[in-house]
Amino acid sequence: MTSADLLHVGVSKKKAKIASVPAYKRIAEALVKEIQSKRLNPGDAVPSERDLATEHKVSLMTARQALQQLASEGIVSRLPNVGSFVAPPKIQFNRLSGVLELSFKEEMLSHGYSPESRDISNTLTTSDGEVSDRLALPLRSKLVRLQRLFMSSGEAFMVETSYMAASRFAGILEERMELRSLFQILANSYGVRISYADEEVDATSADAKTAGLLRIRTGAPILRIRQVLFEAGGPVVYSVTHYRSDRHVVLIRRYR
Protein backbone atom coordinates (compact mmCIF):
# COMPACT_ATOMS: atom_id res chain seq x y z
CA MET A 1 0.00 0.00 0.00
CA THR A 2 1.44 3.36 -1.02
CA SER A 3 1.81 6.40 1.24
CA ALA A 4 -1.03 8.04 -0.67
CA ASP A 5 -3.23 5.03 0.02
CA LEU A 6 -2.31 5.14 3.73
CA LEU A 7 -3.14 8.85 3.86
CA HIS A 8 -6.48 8.20 2.21
CA VAL A 9 -7.26 5.44 4.73
CA GLY A 10 -6.31 7.73 7.64
CA VAL A 11 -8.52 10.55 6.38
CA SER A 12 -11.40 8.13 5.83
CA LYS A 13 -11.10 6.78 9.38
CA LYS A 14 -11.04 10.29 10.81
CA LYS A 15 -14.16 11.24 8.83
CA ALA A 16 -15.88 8.03 9.97
CA LYS A 17 -15.01 8.79 13.59
CA ILE A 18 -16.40 12.32 13.32
CA ALA A 19 -19.54 11.04 11.61
CA SER A 20 -20.09 8.56 14.44
CA VAL A 21 -20.40 11.40 16.97
CA PRO A 22 -24.01 12.65 17.20
CA ALA A 23 -24.49 16.07 15.62
CA TYR A 24 -25.72 17.67 18.86
CA LYS A 25 -22.53 16.58 20.65
CA ARG A 26 -20.36 18.05 17.91
CA ILE A 27 -22.21 21.35 18.27
CA ALA A 28 -21.87 21.26 22.06
CA GLU A 29 -18.15 20.51 21.78
CA ALA A 30 -17.69 23.40 19.35
CA LEU A 31 -19.36 25.79 21.82
CA VAL A 32 -17.22 24.49 24.68
CA LYS A 33 -14.10 25.25 22.61
CA GLU A 34 -15.41 28.78 22.04
CA ILE A 35 -15.77 29.20 25.81
CA GLN A 36 -12.40 27.65 26.62
CA SER A 37 -10.66 29.91 24.10
CA LYS A 38 -12.32 32.97 25.72
CA ARG A 39 -14.14 33.87 22.51
CA LEU A 40 -17.25 33.45 24.63
CA ASN A 41 -17.06 34.61 28.26
CA PRO A 42 -19.38 34.27 31.29
CA GLY A 43 -22.52 36.29 30.67
CA ASP A 44 -22.12 36.34 26.88
CA ALA A 45 -25.07 35.25 24.78
CA VAL A 46 -24.71 31.88 23.07
CA PRO A 47 -25.90 31.57 19.45
CA SER A 48 -29.61 30.82 19.25
CA GLU A 49 -31.05 27.47 18.23
CA ARG A 50 -31.88 28.88 14.80
CA ASP A 51 -28.38 30.30 14.30
CA LEU A 52 -26.77 27.02 15.37
CA ALA A 53 -29.07 25.03 13.11
CA THR A 54 -28.15 27.23 10.13
CA GLU A 55 -24.42 27.24 10.89
CA HIS A 56 -24.15 23.48 11.38
CA LYS A 57 -26.82 22.51 8.84
CA VAL A 58 -28.93 20.58 11.33
CA SER A 59 -32.53 20.70 12.52
CA LEU A 60 -33.78 23.03 15.25
CA MET A 61 -34.36 19.96 17.41
CA THR A 62 -30.68 18.97 17.14
CA ALA A 63 -29.51 22.50 17.96
CA ARG A 64 -31.89 22.58 20.93
CA GLN A 65 -30.50 19.25 22.15
CA ALA A 66 -26.95 20.67 22.06
CA LEU A 67 -27.94 23.64 24.23
CA GLN A 68 -29.86 21.38 26.59
CA GLN A 69 -26.74 19.22 26.94
CA LEU A 70 -24.64 22.26 27.90
CA ALA A 71 -27.32 23.49 30.28
CA SER A 72 -27.45 20.12 32.06
CA GLU A 73 -23.68 20.33 32.56
CA GLY A 74 -23.92 23.86 33.96
CA ILE A 75 -21.90 25.33 31.09
CA VAL A 76 -24.72 27.56 29.84
CA SER A 77 -27.83 28.91 31.50
CA ARG A 78 -31.09 29.14 29.56
CA LEU A 79 -33.66 31.86 30.16
CA PRO A 80 -37.12 31.20 28.68
CA ASN A 81 -38.03 33.67 25.93
CA VAL A 82 -34.64 35.37 26.33
CA GLY A 83 -31.88 33.03 25.21
CA SER A 84 -28.86 31.05 26.39
CA PHE A 85 -25.83 32.55 28.10
CA VAL A 86 -22.41 31.32 29.17
CA ALA A 87 -22.71 30.38 32.84
CA PRO A 88 -20.12 31.55 35.36
CA PRO A 89 -17.57 28.82 36.16
CA LYS A 90 -18.25 26.55 39.11
CA ILE A 91 -16.03 26.92 42.15
CA GLN A 92 -14.32 23.70 43.13
CA PHE A 93 -14.20 23.26 46.88
CA ASN A 94 -11.35 20.87 47.52
CA ARG A 95 -11.97 18.49 50.42
CA LEU A 96 -8.69 16.62 49.86
CA SER A 97 -6.56 18.80 52.14
CA GLY A 98 -8.94 18.46 55.09
CA VAL A 99 -11.62 20.80 56.38
CA LEU A 100 -9.22 22.59 58.72
CA GLU A 101 -6.72 23.66 56.09
CA LEU A 102 -8.55 26.42 54.24
CA SER A 103 -11.09 28.95 55.45
CA PHE A 104 -13.79 30.25 53.10
CA LYS A 105 -11.71 33.41 52.66
CA GLU A 106 -8.59 31.50 51.64
CA GLU A 107 -10.56 29.14 49.39
CA MET A 108 -12.23 32.01 47.55
CA LEU A 109 -9.04 34.01 47.22
CA SER A 110 -7.37 30.98 45.65
CA HIS A 111 -10.03 31.12 42.89
CA GLY A 112 -9.60 34.86 42.31
CA TYR A 113 -12.76 35.97 44.15
CA SER A 114 -13.12 38.73 46.74
CA PRO A 115 -14.86 37.04 49.71
CA GLU A 116 -17.45 38.68 51.93
CA SER A 117 -19.62 37.40 54.77
CA ARG A 118 -22.68 38.58 56.68
CA ASP A 119 -24.05 37.37 60.00
CA ILE A 120 -27.68 36.34 59.63
CA SER A 121 -28.57 35.12 63.11
CA ASN A 122 -26.07 34.44 65.89
CA THR A 123 -28.08 33.46 68.94
CA LEU A 124 -28.80 30.97 71.74
CA THR A 125 -31.27 28.19 71.03
CA THR A 126 -32.16 24.69 72.22
CA SER A 127 -31.28 21.44 70.49
CA ASP A 128 -33.74 19.27 68.62
CA GLY A 129 -33.33 15.54 68.17
CA GLU A 130 -30.96 15.66 65.21
CA VAL A 131 -28.57 18.25 66.68
CA SER A 132 -28.61 16.49 70.07
CA ASP A 133 -27.65 13.21 68.40
CA ARG A 134 -24.90 14.82 66.33
CA LEU A 135 -23.34 16.54 69.34
CA ALA A 136 -24.06 13.75 71.85
CA LEU A 137 -26.03 16.17 74.05
CA PRO A 138 -29.31 15.72 75.97
CA LEU A 139 -32.43 16.80 74.13
CA ARG A 140 -33.31 20.50 74.57
CA SER A 141 -29.75 21.40 75.54
CA LYS A 142 -28.78 25.06 75.32
CA LEU A 143 -26.85 25.75 72.12
CA VAL A 144 -25.03 28.53 70.34
CA ARG A 145 -26.23 28.84 66.75
CA LEU A 146 -24.17 30.80 64.25
CA GLN A 147 -25.65 31.43 60.81
CA ARG A 148 -23.63 33.23 58.15
CA LEU A 149 -24.04 34.08 54.48
CA PHE A 150 -20.90 33.96 52.35
CA MET A 151 -20.66 36.07 49.20
CA SER A 152 -18.36 37.60 46.61
CA SER A 153 -19.04 40.94 44.90
CA GLY A 154 -22.58 40.81 46.22
CA GLU A 155 -23.25 37.33 44.79
CA ALA A 156 -24.39 34.80 47.40
CA PHE A 157 -22.53 31.48 47.41
CA MET A 158 -23.46 29.57 50.54
CA VAL A 159 -25.28 29.66 53.87
CA GLU A 160 -23.64 28.03 56.89
CA THR A 161 -25.38 27.20 60.18
CA SER A 162 -23.21 25.92 63.04
CA TYR A 163 -24.23 24.56 66.46
CA MET A 164 -22.18 24.05 69.63
CA ALA A 165 -22.84 23.65 73.34
CA ALA A 166 -23.67 26.97 75.03
CA SER A 167 -22.21 25.70 78.31
CA ARG A 168 -18.77 25.90 76.74
CA PHE A 169 -19.02 28.31 73.81
CA ALA A 170 -21.58 30.99 74.78
CA GLY A 171 -18.84 33.61 74.67
CA ILE A 172 -18.42 33.10 70.93
CA LEU A 173 -21.50 35.28 70.43
CA GLU A 174 -19.34 38.23 71.47
CA GLU A 175 -16.71 37.48 68.83
CA ARG A 176 -16.45 39.50 65.62
CA MET A 177 -16.88 36.75 63.07
CA GLU A 178 -16.70 38.57 59.74
CA LEU A 179 -14.43 36.41 57.56
CA ARG A 180 -12.63 34.79 60.46
CA SER A 181 -12.37 31.02 60.41
CA LEU A 182 -14.54 29.35 63.04
CA PHE A 183 -11.78 26.76 63.47
CA GLN A 184 -9.26 29.49 64.33
CA ILE A 185 -11.61 31.08 66.87
CA LEU A 186 -12.23 27.72 68.55
CA ALA A 187 -8.50 27.01 68.68
CA ASN A 188 -7.36 30.46 69.82
CA SER A 189 -10.17 31.37 72.24
CA TYR A 190 -11.24 27.96 73.56
CA GLY A 191 -8.24 25.69 73.14
CA VAL A 192 -10.13 23.32 70.86
CA ARG A 193 -7.94 21.02 68.78
CA ILE A 194 -9.98 19.37 66.08
CA SER A 195 -8.74 15.86 65.34
CA TYR A 196 -11.09 14.86 62.51
CA ALA A 197 -14.44 15.60 60.85
CA ASP A 198 -17.30 13.51 59.52
CA GLU A 199 -19.08 14.89 56.46
CA GLU A 200 -22.23 13.93 54.61
CA VAL A 201 -22.78 15.39 51.15
CA ASP A 202 -26.15 15.22 49.43
CA ALA A 203 -28.52 17.15 47.19
CA THR A 204 -31.67 18.81 48.44
CA SER A 205 -34.01 21.64 47.46
CA ALA A 206 -33.97 25.18 48.79
CA ASP A 207 -36.69 26.17 51.23
CA ALA A 208 -38.08 29.69 51.03
CA LYS A 209 -35.62 31.18 53.54
CA THR A 210 -32.52 29.58 52.02
CA ALA A 211 -33.68 30.49 48.52
CA GLY A 212 -34.12 34.10 49.56
CA LEU A 213 -30.63 34.27 51.04
CA LEU A 214 -28.99 32.61 48.04
CA ARG A 215 -31.17 34.57 45.59
CA ILE A 216 -32.45 31.49 43.82
CA ARG A 217 -35.96 30.17 43.33
CA THR A 218 -37.69 28.22 46.10
CA GLY A 219 -37.30 24.50 45.41
CA ALA A 220 -34.13 24.95 43.33
CA PRO A 221 -31.56 22.15 43.74
CA ILE A 222 -28.78 22.94 46.20
CA LEU A 223 -25.80 21.08 47.61
CA ARG A 224 -25.86 20.29 51.33
CA ILE A 225 -22.87 19.32 53.47
CA ARG A 226 -23.52 18.22 57.06
CA GLN A 227 -20.36 18.19 59.11
CA VAL A 228 -19.43 17.16 62.66
CA LEU A 229 -16.08 18.32 64.04
CA PHE A 230 -14.45 16.12 66.67
CA GLU A 231 -11.75 16.71 69.24
CA ALA A 232 -10.28 13.98 71.43
CA GLY A 233 -13.18 14.15 73.88
CA GLY A 234 -15.95 13.90 71.28
CA PRO A 235 -18.02 16.11 68.95
CA VAL A 236 -17.81 19.88 69.39
CA VAL A 237 -19.43 21.48 66.34
CA TYR A 238 -22.25 20.42 64.04
CA SER A 239 -22.74 22.52 60.91
CA VAL A 240 -25.07 22.43 57.93
CA THR A 241 -23.95 24.32 54.84
CA HIS A 242 -26.08 24.92 51.76
CA TYR A 243 -24.25 25.70 48.52
CA ARG A 244 -25.66 26.93 45.24
CA SER A 245 -25.30 23.85 43.06
CA ASP A 246 -25.03 26.01 39.93
CA ARG A 247 -21.87 27.63 41.32
CA HIS A 248 -20.10 24.82 43.17
CA VAL A 249 -18.58 21.44 42.66
CA VAL A 250 -17.00 19.45 45.49
CA LEU A 251 -13.88 17.37 44.89
CA ILE A 252 -13.70 14.24 47.05
CA ARG A 253 -11.07 11.50 46.76
CA ARG A 254 -11.75 7.97 48.01
CA TYR A 255 -9.30 5.12 48.38
CA ARG A 256 -9.97 1.45 48.04
Side-chain angles (χ1 to χ4, degrees):
M1 185 177 290
T2 66
S3 58
D5 292 333
L6 290 173
L7 178 61
H8 177 72
V9 170
V11 170
S12 298
K13 286 184 176 179
K14 184 176 182 180
K15 287 182 177 179
K17 183 177 180 180
I18 293 174
S20 67
V21 178
Y24 80 91
K25 286 191 175 182
R26 294 201 301 272
I27 297 171
E29 289 170 0
L31 288 172
V32 168
K33 289 180 180 178
E34 291 285 305
I35 295 169
Q36 291 175 339
S37 66
K38 305 297 184 183
R39 287 191 287 270
L40 285 174
N41 296 294
D44 287 350
V46 173
S48 67
E49 294 173 3
R50 189 169 299 280
D51 288 341
L52 289 173
T54 300
E55 178 184 352
H56 294 274
K57 297 180 174 57
V58 297
S59 67
L60 284 174
M61 181 67 73
T62 298
R64 183 177 302 122
Q65 192 173 5
L67 292 177
Q68 289 173 340
Q69 172 77 21
L70 294 178
S72 69
E73 295 174 1
I75 297 172
V76 304
S77 56
R78 308 196 71 190
L79 300 179
N81 302 318
V82 177
S84 298
F85 301 85
V86 179
K90 290 191 175 185
I91 300 169
Q92 185 182 81
F93 275 80
N94 190 339
R95 319 304 284 188
L96 303 184
S97 58
V99 295
L100 309 182
E101 297 299 321
L102 290 177
S103 66
F104 171 81
K105 179 180 179 180
E106 293 167 324
E107 190 86 62
M108 293 295 285
L109 287 172
S110 72
H111 292 286
Y113 289 87
S114 300
E116 311 162 33
S117 74
R118 175 164 60 87
D119 290 342
I120 300 170
S121 175
N122 295 343
T123 186
L124 292 174
T125 186
T126 54
S127 64
D128 59 17
E130 180 187 4
V131 178
S132 293
D133 289 343
R134 300 276 186 171
L135 292 176
L137 294 172
L139 187 64
R140 309 298 294 173
S141 294
K142 287 289 184 181
L143 298 173
V144 171
R145 184 184 67 192
L146 306 177
Q147 190 171 52
R148 292 191 288 173
L149 176 67
F150 293 89
M151 305 168 288
S152 176
S153 302
E155 181 184 10
F157 281 87
M158 69 183 200
V159 179
E160 178 187 76
T161 305
S162 300
Y163 302 90
M164 58 206 80
S167 58
R168 182 177 178 185
F169 300 108
I172 206 169
L173 294 173
E174 306 301 321
E175 298 273 359
R176 292 187 60 186
M177 300 297 291
E178 297 174 342
L179 282 171
R180 296 176 65 193
S181 165
L182 176 59
F183 311 121
Q184 293 172 353
I185 293 174
L186 292 174
N188 296 337
S189 299
Y190 297 92
V192 174
R193 296 293 179 265
I194 302 298
S195 55
Y196 69 96
D198 283 344
E199 291 188 337
E200 298 174 14
V201 183
D202 66 355
T204 186
S205 56
D207 59 26
K209 180 180 179 181
T210 302
L213 291 169
L214 294 177
R215 299 174 189 173
I216 57 178
R217 63 177 177 80
T218 300
I222 55 176
L223 184 66
R224 176 174 60 186
I225 297 182
R226 289 175 285 194
Q227 178 191 78
V228 183
L229 301 177
F230 292 83
E231 61 178 356
V236 288
V237 180
Y238 171 52
S239 65
V240 182
T241 308
H242 293 110
Y243 297 83
R244 281 180 51 178
S245 59
D246 63 330
R247 297 294 275 117
H248 295 91
V249 60
V250 178
L251 177 62
I252 301 173
R253 179 173 296 161
R254 299 179 67 187
Y255 293 94
R256 184 174 179 180

